[in-house]
Structure formats: structure tokens, C-alpha cells
Amino acid sequence: MIIIEKLKKAQNLQKQRLFAEAESIYKKIIDHDKNNFDANIGLSIVYFLTNKISISINLLEELIKIYPDRIEAYNNLSNILISQNKYEKAIQYLLVAYKIDKNNIKNLENLFFLYFKKNNFIEAKKYAKLGISLNIKNSFIYNVLGQVFFKENEIQKSITNFKLSIKNNVLFWPAYDNLLTTYEQVNNLHDFNEVLLQANKLFINSQNLVRLKYFQALLLFRNNDFTKSINLLEKIKDKVNIKHHQSFYYLLGKNYDKIKKYDLAFKNFSKSNESILNLDENKKFNKKILLDLIEGYIKYFVKDNINQYDLFDKIDNYIDPVFLLGFPRSGTTLLDTILRTHSQTIVLEEKPYISNIRDEFFQSNDGLINSLEKIKFTQIKNIRKNYFKNIEYFDHKNSSKIIIDKLPLNIIEIGFIRRIFPKSKFILMMRHPYDSILSCFITDFKINDAMIHFLNLNDTANLFNQVFILWKQYVDNLNLKFHLIKYEDLIYNFDDSIKSLLYFLDIKWEDNLKFFNRTATLRDKINTPSYSQVIKPLNANSVARWKNYKEVEQVKDKIKFWIKYFNYPN
């Protein structure tokens, strides 16, 4: 009885964040009863909360050895590993716990969440289904399930699950946050406003009030009320949670850009980028990876190596795709939207179809780039078969249509693409280099080993330079069928610019191409940062934007060759 009272006292002290006092009591209990489960669990939590992570992990691992059937230790250990982004190890412990108790809802929630974080949506949905079978009103599962469907571009299913989460717990804020984010990203501002009004009534005095005001400012921005949006954001600036600094400063920067206060805009875009760099989850990304890949391609794709290739005139019955390429923020999403308006094209969603088959090929060839010289006819045939299977070629109603694979940085992979798709065509979307570089810097990208370059102007310019050194080498050494289309020509001379492209693609002009923005509004989700721009008619607001930002001066020397090469004004 004395031990039970001591445990309760330690747990109460722990709740009051009096960790030293709680730790002392737990240790005294353990001195008398070394293997006391509850005291060891409590002590492991105190160690975790006082940042003694490794000690906490060691303690829980030892406890699992002593009590292999006590699920609490597995769950606590997995929670610590999750906080350290050690998802694979956490999953291992949770799967053991699942074998012990298949009806533990917390365990199922954690497995579901971890598989979601690892983008393994099949396993994620499996454990979500099991969790919902135990608790049909589980708001947490519905909320994360909504995020799963959002990533899979199943937007209506995503929205349905966010709404189910709210229905089952009207005060569960994360579901409102995700639902508002989704409505804004799919350009459904009417329903965005409806949810915002509902949330305002429920959370007006809550800790989520600052986030609510951010969403109000976002709606003001989308409705072109930039000054009101700025005033609201400036009022809450000092209260914004650090995890939301990225989106907060990005929105503030966009507002200042719209009212032509470019110094303040650049300052806030810079703060947004700095906040991205400071996130622990982004420290795993390495700029060197992409630069090394490009450098390897530059060294390899020379005429001596290319001349070693066996060329195959007829491989299969598939029609080689057209690849829409360019440096990010060059207008590829705009051109994508225009082309998907045409009745004879199928434009693929922006996914890494090429990098997936490239990775698979090189992994099976010890990563040796010269394996492209030795590739056999049957290998090429199988790689092509996998590609067309991945893009669901036969699911399209008319396989005679032109397949357009749009992923801007596939420009790097032209050498590999030509080896596998020798009859492929390429569209290079070009924009004034200064505008592309600036736009990359001031755009809120999802970070990876490529996008990490865009967090400062010099890194962006350096990547631009390397990408187009490689492009020029491809043009010089490969017999590319390509068409260059300039963003500026598209804006100022739409008809002639598009007609020239259609001639290259061997398809005819259609009058509905002029109304491409209607196509954009019909799409569930546009998977690029331009989602709010391509639904609007053409305008010249983004042409020569670089002239507003004096900071562009710092990269001009690095890019001057390409200004001349692509015939742009300096």
C-alpha cells in the first residue's frame, strides 16, 4: 500500500512538471523493488521529459526484457523513437506489441501513423481499418486518413474523412487545420470560409486562435485584400508557433510583394526559408546529392560513351511519351494546364515515374552509369513495360493520345530517358533565368534533396547553372527532338506560341485551349505551388518580376552566360 501511495505521489509531481522530485521518489521505489514496472515506466517518462533520451530508451529496453508481455513499455518506447524520427525501429516494437494485444487502440493508432509518415499507404490504411473497427468514432484515425487520401490525390475521400473526424469530436482542432488547408489548396474558397466561420465560434478563446487568424489572413490574401491580411498577420507575429513560421512568413512575404513593398517581402521570404532550414526533419537533406548526380552525368554523357550504345529502332508497340521539362518555376504548370485542355493529350500528374525506373535500373547494376552502354534489348523492353504500367497506360480511354510526362527536373534525366525512350520528344519551358531563380527562392516548396537548394539565391543560381550546363551538353551530344517555349512568349503571344508547340507535337489547334483556366478549376488538386495561379486568366504580373528585387544582383555573374544563350535581356 505504501508503494502505491508513493507511485501516486510521484505521478502527481510528474504532472506538475516537478521532475526532480518525481525522479527521486521513483528511484527510492526501485531501490526497494528493482523490477517494479510502474516505477520504471514513470522514471523512463521523467528521463524523456528532461531530455535524457538515451537513458530513457535503455531503461525501457531492459524493462521489455523483464516484462515481454507488458504492452505499455512497447508503446512508450515507440513514442520516444517516433519523437526521434526513428520510425522503422518504432514500427518493429509496435508490431511485437500488436502480436501481444491486437485490440490495443493506441498501438494501432501509432502503427497507422508511422506507416503514413513512411508513405506506406497500403499498410497505413490496413491499421486504420483495424482501429476504426474497434472505435468507429476515432477522430485521430479519420484525421490522419484524410491526410493519406490527400497525398493520394483522392480529394473527396480526404475531405470526407476530415469531416468525419470533426463530426466525432467537434473540438478536435487538427482536423479543422487539415480541412482548411485542403480547401485552400484545391481553390475551394467558399467551403474554406464556411469551415473558418464554424471554427471561429468554437476556438475563439483557445490556444488555436493564432492559427485561426492565420487562416483568416490567408483568405484575405486570396480575396486580394492584402493590406488587411498584413495587418492581421503583424498583430499575431510574436505569437506564432515555431512550427508554423514557414507558412506564416511566406504569406506575409506574398502580401508585401502584392503591395510592392519588395524589401519587406524579401525579408519575410528569407525568414520563411530560414525556418525551413532550422526544422530537424529537413536536416537530413543534402544539396550535394543532386549536384553530384549532375556532375556524374556531365562527365559521362559525352560522345565517346554515347557512341557505344546499341540503337534499337523498334522496341514495342508503346508510343514514346513527350517530356515537359524546365527549371522549377518556369511556367511548366501553366503549360501543363494548357496542354491537358487539348482533346488529344494526356498530361500525367507530377510524379517521379522516371526517377523510379532509373533507380531500379541502377540498383540492379551496382549503380554503374556505364551500364547504359551494356543494356540489352530485353532490359529496355522491361523497363518501358514497367513505366507504362506505372502510369496506368492501358487505363486511359484512348492509348493513341499523346502522353505528356511533366516533371521539371527530369531535364537532368534526359540522357537516361533517351536510352529507354529513343523516340521521345522534349518540351523545354523557359523563363527569364532571373525570374526563375527569384521565384524558386520565394516559393514555399515541400523540401527534398532538390528543393533544399532554393532556400537561398546563390544555391538556386548554382543549381540553375549546373542544370543548364548539362542541358547544353545533351543538346550538343544527343540528337534531341525538342521544342523551346518561353513563358514570356506564352503571356504576350499566346496563339502563335501554342500553335508552334502544337505543330511540334503534330496535333491541331483547338479553340478551347484559350480557356485553359477552366480546366484548372475542374481539377481536384494541382500538385505544384502554382495551384492558386493557374486558375486565373493570363497576366503579365510575373514577367520581369526580378527587377523589383535588388537582391538578384548577387547572382547575375553566375547566370550571365544563360541570359545570352537563351536571348534574354540582362
Side-chain angles (χ1 to χ4, degrees):
M1 192 66 174
I2 294 173
I3 289 178
I4 293 173
E5 289 173 359
K6 285 182 178 180
L7 279 169
K8 285 182 179 178
K9 185 176 180 180
Q11 289 162 355
N12 285 330
L13 289 167
Q14 185 179 307
K15 289 176 183 176
Q16 298 171 54
R17 303 191 69 81
L18 298 171
F19 298 127
E21 293 88 339
E23 180 180 339
S24 176
I25 295 174
Y26 284 135
K27 283 182 174 178
K28 285 178 182 177
I29 295 172
I30 291 167
D31 284 342
H32 289 285
D33 181 4
K34 181 181 178 182
N35 296 331
N36 185 288
F37 184 83
D38 293 320
N40 277 285
I41 282 284
L43 185 58
S44 71
I45 294 171
V46 167
Y47 283 145
F48 173 68
L49 294 173
T50 54
N51 211 30
K52 299 172 184 173
I53 308 296
S54 59
I55 299 175
S56 180
I57 290 173
N58 291 338
L59 181 56
L60 287 167
E61 287 176 339
E62 289 301 313
L63 203 57
I64 285 170
K65 291 176 185 176
I66 299 167
Y67 297 99
D69 295 328
R70 295 291 295 269
I71 199 168
E72 299 98 315
Y74 293 97
N75 280 334
N76 283 13
L77 182 52
S78 68
N79 285 334
I80 294 171
L81 293 169
I82 290 169
S83 75
Q84 302 296 295
N85 294 323
K86 296 178 179 177
Y87 297 150
E88 199 59 53
K89 196 170 182 182
I91 287 173
Q92 291 172 11
Y93 281 109
L94 289 169
L95 288 174
V96 175
Y98 176 65
K99 289 179 181 178
I100 297 166
D101 182 0
K102 293 187 176 180
N103 294 322
N104 186 291
I105 191 67
K106 192 63 186 174
N107 191 50
L108 290 170
E109 286 176 356
N110 281 341
L111 278 167
F112 166 47
F113 178 73
L114 283 171
Y115 280 120
F116 162 67
K117 293 295 284 185
K118 287 177 64 62
N119 292 322
N120 186 339
F121 300 142
I122 293 174
E123 287 297 301
K125 284 188 274 192
K126 179 179 108 176
Y127 287 103
K129 186 177 180 180
L130 290 169
I132 290 170
S133 71
L134 294 175
N135 178 8
I136 199 170
K137 295 184 177 182
N138 191 307
S139 288
F140 172 83
I141 290 180
Y142 286 123
N143 179 52
V144 180
L145 200 52
Q147 295 173 70
V148 170
F149 284 121
F150 184 81
K151 285 197 170 188
E152 292 183 324
N153 286 332
E154 297 273 5
I155 301 303
Q156 290 309 312
K157 288 182 180 179
S158 174
I159 289 169
T160 297
N161 278 278
F162 291 140
K163 286 182 174 179
L164 279 170
S165 179
I166 291 168
K167 179 182 178 182
N168 289 303
N169 183 352
V170 74
L171 295 177
F172 188 58
W173 168 254
Y176 289 92
D177 198 308
N178 285 321
L179 185 56
L180 285 165
T181 299
T182 299
Y183 277 140
E184 194 272 332
Q185 290 191 10
V186 300
N187 298 305
N188 185 344
L189 297 185
H190 176 271
D191 287 345
F192 178 96
N193 187 48
E194 291 295 312
V195 175
L196 191 58
L197 290 171
Q198 179 188 356
N200 266 319
K201 294 174 184 177
L202 295 168
F203 298 99
I204 194 67
N205 295 314
S206 80
Q207 61 183 359
N208 300 302
L209 182 59
V210 172
R211 184 69 172 160
L212 262 178
K213 289 187 179 297
Y214 162 80
F215 282 118
Q216 289 170 2
L218 180 58
L219 184 59
L220 287 167
F221 172 82
R222 291 296 303 269
N223 289 328
N224 299 325
D225 201 339
F226 309 121
T227 301
K228 279 187 179 179
S229 182
I230 288 169
N231 291 339
L232 185 52
L233 291 169
E234 291 288 0
K235 285 179 183 177
I236 63 172
K237 182 188 287 187
D238 297 332
K239 301 174 185 177
V240 177
N241 188 304
I242 193 168
K243 71 179 181 179
H244 294 134
H245 277 187
Q246 174 184 350
S247 56
F248 173 84
Y249 286 114
Y250 177 60
L251 178 57
L252 198 51
K254 289 199 295 182
N255 271 299
Y256 278 122
D257 177 84
K258 290 293 186 181
I259 64 169
K260 301 182 179 180
K261 292 189 176 181
Y262 301 114
D263 286 348
L264 284 171
F266 193 86
K267 178 182 176 182
N268 282 286
F269 288 132
S270 297
K271 283 186 176 181
S272 177
N273 289 350
E274 286 166 13
S275 70
I276 296 170
L277 271 176
N278 291 332
L279 290 173
D280 287 340
E281 65 199 65
N282 291 332
K283 289 176 181 175
K284 63 187 176 184
F285 298 116
N286 185 352
K287 289 180 285 190
K288 198 169 180 292
I289 291 173
L290 186 59
L291 293 175
D292 285 350
L293 177 66
I294 294 171
E295 185 61 32
Y297 284 170
I298 290 171
K299 289 178 180 177
Y300 175 75
F301 285 105
V302 294
K303 287 185 177 178
D304 284 348
N305 291 330
I306 294 166
N307 289 338
Q308 302 297 314
Y309 291 176
D310 288 329
L311 301 178
F312 307 109
D313 184 52
K314 175 72 173 174
I315 301 172
D316 49 37
N317 292 322
Y318 295 115
I319 300 171
D320 285 8
V322 175
F323 292 90
L324 173 52
L325 320 164
F327 200 73
R329 305 300 295 158
S330 292
T332 52
T333 301
L334 172 60
L335 189 56
D336 160 334
T337 307
I338 294 166
L339 287 172
R340 72 172 61 237
T341 305
H342 200 286
S343 65
Q344 295 303 308
T345 64
I346 296 170
V347 183
L348 304 179
E349 290 297 335
E350 197 166 299
K351 291 183 180 179
Y353 298 114
I354 289 297
S355 58
N356 287 344
I357 60 170
R358 176 208 63 191
D359 289 347
E360 187 176 339
F361 171 74
F362 284 121
Q363 284 168 10
S364 64
N365 287 277
D366 300 320
L368 298 173
I369 194 167
N370 64 358
S371 56
L372 286 171
E373 299 162 26
K374 305 167 187 175
I375 191 169
K376 296 177 181 178
F377 176 83
T378 52
Q379 287 179 290
I380 292 178
K381 193 171 182 178
N382 286 333
I383 293 169
R384 289 168 61 91
K385 184 178 178 181
N386 286 338
Y387 172 86
F388 286 106
K389 179 182 177 183
N390 291 340
I391 68 169
E392 298 175 338
Y393 181 81
F394 290 112
D395 287 349
H396 299 304
K397 292 179 181 178
N398 187 349
S399 60
S400 65
K401 290 185 178 183
I402 297 171
I403 301 289
I404 300 176
D405 187 338
K406 176 244 181 177
L407 191 69
L409 282 177
N410 271 345
I411 188 172
I412 295 166
E413 300 297 342
I414 288 174
F416 177 79
I417 291 170
R418 274 301 303 275
R419 192 73 179 107
I420 307 302
F421 304 99
K423 295 185 179 180
S424 57
K425 291 182 177 181
F426 301 90
I427 303 168
L428 177 65
M429 187 73 200
M430 199 67 207
R431 184 182 179 189
H432 194 298
Y434 297 159
D435 273 331
S436 288
I437 289 165
L438 173 67
S439 189
C440 284
F441 175 78
I442 64 176
T443 294
D444 187 17
F445 286 106
K446 180 175 172 56
I447 295 301
N448 55 34
D449 288 322
M451 302 302 116
I452 197 78
H453 289 266
F454 301 150
L455 299 182
N456 77 59
L457 281 175
N458 280 300
D459 284 344
T460 309
N462 186 44
L463 180 61
F464 185 98
N465 194 44
Q466 292 302 107
V467 164
F468 282 100
I469 287 172
L470 180 58
W471 160 262
K472 186 176 182 300
Q473 187 165 315
Y474 284 143
V475 171
D476 292 343
N477 295 337
L478 296 169
N479 185 24
L480 294 184
K481 296 176 184 176
F482 77 93
H483 180 85
L484 188 152
I485 181 167
K486 289 187 175 181
Y487 175 79
E488 295 80 7
D489 292 340
L490 201 52
I491 298 297
Y492 292 121
N493 195 358
F494 181 88
D495 286 15
D496 287 348
S497 186
I498 293 300
K499 284 176 180 177
S500 176
L501 174 59
L502 297 179
Y503 180 80
F504 170 73
L505 296 175
D506 197 24
I507 53 179
K508 294 181 180 180
W509 169 268
E510 294 178 350
D511 287 338
N512 63 332
L513 291 168
K514 288 185 176 182
F515 308 107
F516 65 88
N517 54 312
R518 295 177 186 173
T519 300
T521 59
L522 294 174
R523 294 174 68 182
D524 273 349
K525 179 189 172 193
I526 299 169
N527 292 310
T528 77
S530 302
Y531 64 88
S532 64
Q533 297 165 332
V534 296
I535 62 171
K536 300 175 183 177
L538 287 179
N539 64 75
N541 293 342
S542 294
V543 175
R545 193 180 187 185
W546 63 271
K547 293 180 180 179
N548 300 319
Y549 288 86
K550 63 181 185 296
E551 292 83 1
V552 172
E553 291 290 332
Q554 65 186 270
V555 303
K556 283 189 172 183
D557 282 346
K558 290 184 178 181
I559 304 301
K560 60 185 179 183
F561 176 85
W562 303 111
I563 298 293
K564 184 176 180 180
Y565 183 83
F566 289 110
N567 196 27
Y568 275 105
N570 193 354

